[in-house]
Amino acid sequence: MNQKNATFKKTIIMSLLLNRNKFGDVANTGKTLSKEEANLLLKEWVLNDKLRLHMLQVSHLMKCWAAEKEGLGEEGQWRWEMAGLLHDADWDQWPGEHCKKIIEELERRNVDPEIIHAIASHGPNHFGVEPETRMDKMLYAFDELSGLIHAYSLMRPNGYEGMELKGVKKRLKEKSFAANVSREEIADACSLAVVELETLIPFIIEHQTGVSLTELQ
Ligand SMILES: [Fe+2]
């Protein structure tokens, strides 16, 4: 990113505070979009393949974590997956309204307030909303780390194959690698979620490897 873009982005980020802590309507608890509706929204709003893939990766991680670590059934898994799938839906076309626009859309569609809160709190430093639930905290934890691990896979000859915890930790220490990934946010998220990097990194390597854009077709 050149200096002009960096300044532009900084200006955008500074204006992303949501200035509220209540999202959605409790009367809509349990209401979700269908998978088809969520995929359609993603395809309509996110035109950039890299960002689409990121959202699919994070949504898959959320679903697998909900199933394997939180012991949630299909309904609960979908709530987590949907939060992951749509968390950056407005970033591609409306970066200056990032988070605000998707939140308002999901409120308009009467979506469960917990899903909307998870999206609203996935970047507490940017949006000013603290992660509270397990879903909130894990979305925050997966977001940046998933991106760094994907960037690492792209520079390895065999992608995810044979990727190890120590290699990822080494990349984390290299500030110049995937420099836009905030190490501070990763550390903050792990601490909030009470999850060690030693658990999170192998989980991401294992589950992110097979995710591809074909899932949206
Ligand atoms: Fe993201």
Side-chain angles (χ1 to χ4, degrees), residues 78-87 115 118-119 135 139:
W78 169 239
R79 286 153 48 86
W80 281 54
E81 184 179 359
M82 189 182 140
L85 192 67
L86 297 175
H87 77 280
I115 296 174
I119 292 175
M135 178 164 49
L139 180 58

Side-chain angles (χ1 to χ4, degrees), residues 23-35:
F23 300 96
D25 185 336
V26 285
N28 294 325
T29 300
K31 291 185 187 168
T32 62
L33 300 184
S34 68
K35 184 138 190 174

Side-chain angles (χ1 to χ4, degrees), residues 54 58 87-88 122 143:
H54 165 68
V58 173
H87 77 280
D88 283 334
H122 83 268
D143 192 18

Side-chain angles (χ1 to χ4, degrees), residues 117-168:
H117 193 277
I119 292 175
S121 62
H122 83 268
N125 296 334
H126 310 302
F127 313 124
V129 181
E130 277 301 304
E132 291 169 6
T133 66
R134 289 298 298 157
M135 178 164 49
D136 295 352
K137 291 170 186 174
M138 289 313 299
L139 180 58
Y140 180 35
F142 279 133
D143 192 18
E144 294 283 292
L145 197 51
S146 159
L148 180 131
I149 291 174
H150 184 65
Y152 183 34
S153 80
L154 296 178
M155 63 170 273
R156 299 179 80 251
N158 296 320
Y160 285 89
E161 203 185 314
M163 189 186 289
E164 291 184 349
L165 169 64
K166 64 180 178 190
V168 175

